[in-house]
Structure formats: C-alpha cells, structure tokens
Amino acid sequence: MSEAPTISAAAAGAIGPGRLILVVGPSGAGKDTLLGLARMACTDEPGIVFARRVVTREASAFEDNEQLSADAFREALARGEFAIHWEAHGHSYGLPRAIDDDIRAGRTVVANVSRTVIEPMRRVYSNVVVVAITAPSDVLAKRLAMRARTSDGVLEHRLQRALAQSAEPDKTIVNIGSAEFHARQLVQIIRGVRLDE
C-alpha cells in the first residue's frame, strides 16, 4: 500500500516565481523517453532544469534517477534533503531540495512524479503545470512487457496499476506517434509555448 506524499515543513508557503512542470502518467506511457529527448533539446537553456529523482528501486538505463538503498534514503530524509518524498509500490522516491532554490531563482523545473503528489505540490508551489503522458492500454501492455523491470512486480499487476492511474492534467500528450514529435510537444510546454496542432 502506498503512503501519502510528504512535503518538508521547510518548504511551506507558495514557492515561486519559477514554474514547476510535473510529468505524470502510467508505466509504459513513455515518460522517460520523452523526458530524455526534451532534456537534450533544452541542454543550452540554463533557465530549464530537469530534476533528478532519488529512488530506492533498481536503476534503469532509460531513466535519469539516483538510486539509494532504503537506509541511505531514510538518512537523506532525516537530513532534510528532499523537497518532497513519497512511497509507491514498496519503493521510496524523492525530489531534491535544490528544486526550491531553482524555482525561487525563476527557473523552470521539470520533474517526473507520481500523480499522488500533484495536489500537495499545487499547494506549495505558485506556478505548477501538470503534463500527463499516456497511451492506449494495448500499447501500455506491450511496452511494459518489453521493459520487464523486475522491481515493478508482475506484469499483470503493473498494467492494472497503469490503467488505474489518473491525474488532473493541464496538458495531455497521447504518446502513440514518433518519440521525436511528442518530445517536441513536451518541450513546447516546458518553454511555455502553445502546442502545435
């Protein structure tokens, strides 16, 4: 069972003026692929920061995460190193406190998060944009089977979790075309540009 996300007491109050882009979506939707391409496209833009999640599950070549043991994660949490942390499917996740400094400095921070953190983060940060990346159920099933990440559990359970996920997005990208096209859509959102039709 997942626990509710926790935002540090030190982060209380509306943090701005920068934007916080929360990327959410079911497993297999292609979030990490699009985020990786968007990160490359924004390499020369110092006003855009891609937050690196800290996770206690096994690392994946497709994600830009920092892996910690459960004990090391708890120690980092005790030191106040996370702006927000949450539990999901037996693993711990956190975003580093540095995102608060970036947002206060007026930068745009992009983070891959659980849908469970949306409402708490909307209360703490003054300018939050939620981007849902999704795909049809048959596409999700195929992608999850190809990925075969053992730390996520049984494929059938993973797909059920994916289909049960919902969010209240400001923007939605249905990732069924080319990764490059949908990454350009994500970059437009990050830059605050209206999406191409």
Side-chain angles (χ1 to χ4, degrees):
M1 184 172 171
S2 302
E3 295 179 7
T6 305
I7 293 184
S8 68
I15 297 175
R19 298 164 69 229
L20 178 60
I21 311 292
L22 301 179
V23 177
V24 299
S27 294
K31 298 184 299 294
D32 294 306
T33 298
L34 299 191
L35 281 165
L37 291 169
R39 186 184 301 108
M40 287 190 291
C42 298
T43 297
D44 296 327
E45 299 179 50
I48 298 174
V49 177
F50 287 79
R52 196 161 187 239
R53 286 190 312 186
V54 178
V55 301
T56 59
R57 62 171 166 73
E58 66 185 78
S60 165
F62 302 104
E63 302 170 306
D64 185 30
N65 292 332
E66 177 184 350
Q67 182 182 351
L68 287 182
S69 69
D71 287 342
F73 189 97
R74 283 191 293 272
E75 290 167 6
L77 182 59
R79 291 191 299 268
E81 294 183 7
F82 301 124
I84 185 169
H85 70 278
W86 65 97
E87 301 286 327
H89 319 299
H91 303 293
S92 298
Y93 298 78
L95 293 179
R97 179 171 303 288
I99 71 168
D100 293 352
D101 296 332
D102 286 321
I103 291 171
R104 287 187 179 105
R107 300 182 187 99
T108 295
V109 173
V110 184
N112 178 1
V113 300
S114 164
R115 73 196 188 285
T116 63
V117 307
I118 292 174
E119 289 311 314
M121 295 187 89
R122 281 195 192 278
R123 291 193 295 269
V124 171
Y125 298 92
S126 62
N127 191 351
V128 175
V129 177
V130 177
V131 182
I133 296 176
T134 189
S137 59
D138 60 325
V139 175
L140 294 176
K142 189 178 297 184
R143 290 175 182 168
L144 286 172
M146 286 173 51
R147 186 164 70 187
R149 189 168 63 199
T150 57
S151 65
D152 283 347
V154 179
L155 175 59
E156 182 180 336
H157 297 159
R158 288 160 61 199
L159 183 57
Q160 288 172 355
R161 278 196 329 244
L163 296 176
Q165 288 184 347
S166 61
E168 293 148 10
D170 299 300
K171 305 285 184 181
T172 299
I173 295 173
V174 181
N175 186 18
I176 55 173
S178 75
E180 290 75 15
F181 172 75
H182 293 304
R184 285 196 299 273
Q185 289 184 307
L186 180 57
V187 169
Q188 286 179 284
I189 295 167
I190 292 167
R191 290 174 176 160
V193 177
R194 185 174 176 173
L195 283 180
D196 291 333
E197 297 300 324

